[in-house]
């Protein structure tokens, strides 16, 4: 039996705000990341401080160098390339009457290049990149008017790219609105009480559910042969012991995330959420027709990121499951230098868990290892640790396929070094391609291949057989 199906979408994934740079070029507006100097785990500035250095403003200059970068992706044999459209390039403040033609042109050229190089573009419509003006004016998704603003943006990009892009996803890691609300929901809630935070977060989530369902509808109308998914952060959650309290709470913690895919894939609010709403005194404002919209236009597939697993001890606070927030340490697992527990089998576990629950295609759109790369005396980067991480995770993906799970593809996170979302640094590198740039902005931006580049190329070339 072959390990991977022959049309498996091997590839890599990046986000505009972490790679493009050119943060003010060709009419782009300021987006939320442009103000997050130290990444989303920290408080973002209200204005750009001219005396400070913002790594994402130039990032790796993908905006001007994408041709060279895509040539390297082609050399690795990528079948798919996941990227996001920077919303503020298309609508600088979100509310212009007409889109910014220069921004649209940029993505036209970019998609053409991706296709020319034999890859399927996989597009995230909103990857932590909401135009900042919408935060200032409406506190982002707290305000229902974001639904129409978002749909106007969706209509423009669906119309424009209908012949080029067939795979879409609406919001990156929508469930992360609970751990990084500014990034995932464009809401600023730091100064609020827990009760207020929960109220705003769930209300914003509701608006995003309606927006996502309507975007699904629009996408299918404009691009009949498209697939549009939801996207969640779904690293595994384990109970710390077999104490039923640990086991039960781990399940409850998991549900805080699965709530998002439950609504977006099944099309209704699950019963268990009422108890959470009661506990935090959340009163959701829904309009007539919202429930029908959510029920009528579910997502076609479930895309998710998987980096690690979290171990939960009963009684400890409920946290998210990625982005650097960790639960108890797991004595069976090693960690990355950023403390993320390396758990390949957890990926197989999650694939089974999700497919059992939804029976919808899964797309692993983020998985990867952030590490400190050192240039050796021979001038090269011998990143065996990354190869080992990847090999072990991909073996588990093949096991999940044998378990009967429908997985349409795997896009490694950060095939080229980019700015970290959580901490805003360059030092945390994921790439198969090294980019000569440091945390302070020094470097030539030159690209070079790490050992993992050749290794992943071989995996794709043999459709996974070289793993064994
Ligand atoms: C996910 C995000 C990505 C990304 C990745 C790795 O949460 O979708 O944008 O960067 O995590 O996180 P980090 O960059 O913090 O290492």
């Amino acid at each position: 039996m072959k390990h991977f199906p022959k049309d498996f979408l091997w590839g890599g994934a990046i986000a505009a705000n972490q790679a493009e740079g050119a943060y003010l070029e060709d009419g782009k507006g300021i987006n939320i990341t442009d103000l997050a100097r130290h990444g989303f785990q920290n408080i973002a500035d209200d204005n750009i401080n001219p005396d400070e250095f913002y790594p994402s403003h130039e990032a790796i200059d993908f905006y001007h160098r994408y041709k060279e970068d895509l040539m390297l992706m082609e050399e690795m044999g990528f079948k798919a390339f996941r990227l996001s459209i920077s919303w503020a390039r298309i609508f600088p403040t979100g509310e212009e009457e007409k889109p910014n033609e220069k921004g649209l042109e940029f993505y036209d050229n970019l998609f053409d290049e991706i296709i020319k190089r034999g890859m399927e573009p996989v597009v995230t419509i909103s990857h932590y990149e909401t135009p900042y003006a919408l935060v200032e004016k409406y506190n982002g998704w707290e305000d229902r008017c974001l639904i129409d603003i978002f749909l106007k943006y969706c209509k423009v990009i669906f119309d424009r790219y209908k012949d080029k892009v067939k795979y879409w996803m609406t919001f990156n890691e929508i469930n992360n609105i609970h751990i990084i609300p500014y990034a995932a929901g464009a809401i600023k809630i730091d100064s609020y009480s827990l009760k207020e935070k929960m109220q705003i977060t769930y209300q914003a989530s509701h608006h995003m559910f309606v927006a996502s369902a309507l975007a699904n509808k629009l996408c299918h109308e404009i691009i009949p042969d498209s697939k549009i998914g939801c996207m969640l952060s779904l690293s595994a959650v384990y109970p710390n012991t077999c104490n039923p309290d640990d086991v039960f709470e781990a399940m409850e913690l998991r549900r805080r995330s699965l709530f998002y895919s439950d609504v977006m894939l099944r099309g209704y609010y699950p019963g268990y959420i009422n108890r959470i709403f009661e506990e935090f005194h959340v009163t959701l404002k829904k309009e007539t027709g919202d429930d029908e919209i959510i029920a009528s236009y579910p997502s076609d597939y479930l895309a998710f990121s998987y980096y690690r697993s979290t171990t939960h001890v009963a009684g400890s606070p409920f946290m998210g499951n990625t982005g650097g927030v960790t639960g108890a340490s797991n004595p069976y697992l090693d960690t990355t230098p950023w403390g993320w527990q390396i758990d390949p089998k957890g990926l197989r576990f999650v694939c089974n868990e999700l497919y059992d629950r939804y029976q919808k295609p899964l797309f692993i759109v983020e998985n990867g290892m952030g590490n400190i790369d050192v240039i050796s005396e021979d001038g090269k980067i011998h990143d065996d640790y990354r190869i080992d991480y990847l090999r072990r995770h991909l073996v588990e993906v093949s096991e999940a396929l044998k378990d009967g799970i429908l997985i349409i593809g795997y896009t490694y996170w950060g095939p080229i070094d980019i700015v970290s979302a959580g901490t805003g640094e360059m030092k945390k590198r994921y790439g198969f391609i090294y980019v000569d740039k440091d945390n302070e902005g020094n470097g030539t931006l030159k690209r070079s291949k790490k050992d993992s580049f050749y290794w992943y190329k071989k995996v794709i070339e043999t459709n996974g057989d070289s793993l064994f």
Side-chain angles (χ1 to χ4, degrees):
M1 175 182 172
K2 283 280 174 204
H3 301 288
F4 289 84
K6 72 173 185 336
D7 52 355
F8 192 72
L9 292 173
W10 295 101
I14 60 168
N17 70 85
Q18 294 170 256
E20 285 177 3
Y23 87 111
L24 283 181
E25 237 168 284
D26 292 334
K28 177 181 160 297
I30 298 290
N31 66 35
I32 54 173
T33 328
D34 294 330
L35 295 157
R37 205 160 17 110
H38 299 296
F40 287 121
Q41 282 162 30
N42 303 283
I43 297 186
D45 300 333
D46 289 326
N47 293 296
I48 289 172
N49 181 342
D51 301 326
E52 297 287 353
F53 173 67
Y54 292 74
S56 67
H57 288 186
E58 186 190 42
I60 60 159
D61 197 30
F62 183 75
Y63 194 76
H64 299 108
R65 293 165 197 248
Y66 68 85
K67 288 194 177 159
E68 179 193 347
D69 294 341
L70 291 170
M71 214 153 71
L72 292 164
M73 307 304 164
E74 182 188 28
E75 195 182 325
M76 279 186 276
F78 280 20
K79 312 279 183 238
F81 190 65
R82 174 181 174 234
L83 74 175
S84 62
I85 294 178
S86 177
W87 187 348
R89 282 199 196 282
I90 312 302
F91 287 103
T93 66
E95 293 193 285
E96 288 75 8
E97 219 170 283
K98 289 216 167 86
N100 171 29
E101 180 55 31
K102 284 267 181 218
L104 288 169
E105 262 169 37
F106 169 70
Y107 291 105
D108 257 324
N109 297 334
L110 181 52
F111 296 144
D112 286 345
E113 192 69 19
I114 294 173
I115 294 163
K116 182 174 125 196
R117 303 223 162 261
M119 295 172 249
E120 191 76 56
V122 177
V123 173
T124 317
I125 299 171
S126 179
H127 191 132
Y128 301 165
E129 292 158 333
T130 308
Y132 186 67
L134 299 176
V135 179
E136 271 185 317
K137 201 161 160 193
Y138 301 113
N139 201 26
W141 285 95
E142 179 181 358
D143 196 311
R144 191 174 171 102
C145 73
L146 265 270
I147 298 175
D148 288 340
I149 294 173
F150 178 74
L151 289 171
K152 184 178 67 172
Y153 161 53
C154 288
K155 173 142 178 32
V156 166
I157 57 175
F158 294 156
D159 277 335
R160 180 79 172 217
Y161 306 124
K162 60 174 182 289
D163 297 324
K164 303 181 183 180
V165 182
K166 304 296 171 190
Y167 286 93
W168 299 87
M169 55 196 88
T170 47
F171 300 106
N172 183 62
E173 300 188 331
I174 183 170
N175 55 320
N176 272 359
I177 194 168
H178 289 274
I179 53 168
I180 38 173
Y182 174 67
I187 47 176
K188 281 194 166 173
I189 52 173
D190 290 335
S191 56
Y192 292 112
S193 68
L194 178 62
K195 176 183 171 306
E196 289 165 330
K197 279 184 179 148
M198 291 297 253
Q199 172 65 37
I200 296 172
T201 304
Y202 278 112
Q203 188 62 53
S205 304
H206 178 71
H207 296 148
M208 292 169 88
F209 291 148
V210 175
S212 189
L214 289 170
N216 296 345
K217 173 176 188 280
L218 199 60
C219 187
H220 289 141
E221 282 165 5
I222 300 176
I223 322 173
D225 55 343
S226 63
K227 298 270 175 240
I228 179 160
C230 56
M231 196 299 196
L232 276 78
S233 161
L234 288 172
S235 291
V237 177
Y238 299 146
N240 191 44
T241 68
C242 55
N243 178 335
D245 288 339
D246 282 350
V247 175
F248 193 81
E249 272 200 18
M251 186 273 290
E252 284 189 305
L253 169 59
R254 187 59 165 169
R255 268 182 174 169
R256 294 282 176 97
S257 280
L258 293 178
F259 163 65
Y260 287 82
S261 37
D262 282 353
V263 175
M264 297 170 97
L265 291 165
R266 290 173 165 166
Y268 57 90
Y269 274 70
Y272 61 78
I273 198 67
N274 294 327
R275 184 167 180 151
I276 297 169
F277 285 174
E278 255 168 49
E279 188 184 337
F280 294 100
H281 310 284
V282 171
T283 329
L284 219 53
K285 279 188 237 98
K286 285 186 183 174
E287 283 192 3
T288 325
D290 283 1
D291 284 335
E292 286 70 21
I293 289 169
I294 290 170
S296 305
Y297 311 108
S299 310
D300 294 327
Y301 64 92
L302 171 54
F304 65 99
S305 62
Y306 176 90
Y307 289 93
R308 58 193 184 81
S309 57
T310 296
T311 310
H312 183 73
V313 180
S316 54
F318 276 16
M319 299 186 267
N321 56 16
T322 190
V325 204
T326 48
S329 67
N330 184 330
Y332 301 100
L333 302 175
D334 292 331
T335 58
T336 71
W338 274 264
W340 292 16
Q341 290 175 159
I342 303 169
D343 184 5
K345 188 154 251 170
L347 178 53
R348 179 179 174 191
F349 173 83
V350 166
C351 288
N352 276 274
E353 174 196 38
L354 298 176
Y355 199 64
D356 279 356
R357 197 167 177 116
Y358 304 117
Q359 287 92 47
K360 287 228 184 175
L362 304 180
F363 197 166
I364 304 165
V365 294
E366 287 188 32
N367 171 238
M369 180 188 232
N371 215 320
I372 299 165
D373 289 331
V374 179
I375 303 177
S376 303
E377 275 173 17
D378 62 2
K380 303 221 164 88
I381 290 159
H382 302 297
D383 54 344
D384 313 348
Y385 39 84
R386 186 167 291 112
I387 293 174
D388 183 60
Y389 176 100
L390 189 51
R391 185 184 54 74
R392 291 165 57 210
H393 281 79
L394 287 175
V395 166
E396 295 300 338
V397 174
S398 83
E399 291 297 332
L401 287 162
K402 285 190 215 154
D403 292 335
I405 317 293
L406 177 54
I407 304 171
I408 51 184
Y410 173 94
T411 53
Y412 177 86
W413 178 256
I416 181 165
D417 295 342
I418 51 177
V419 179
S420 143
T423 55
E425 53 191 338
M426 273 305 295
K427 189 172 155 196
K428 187 178 189 187
R429 296 172 184 277
Y430 285 85
F432 306 133
I433 301 160
Y434 184 82
V435 178
D436 178 26
K437 183 158 182 197
D438 68 13
N439 275 357
E440 286 71 46
N442 307 306
T444 60
L445 289 169
K446 184 173 167 296
R447 278 55 171 158
S448 46
K449 300 167 190 170
K450 306 179 195 175
D451 285 359
S452 53
F453 180 97
Y454 303 99
W455 184 87
Y456 192 46
K457 176 175 158 54
K458 180 98 189 158
V459 172
I460 300 176
E461 221 166 65
T462 61
N463 201 27
D465 289 351
S466 66
L467 292 164
F468 304 93

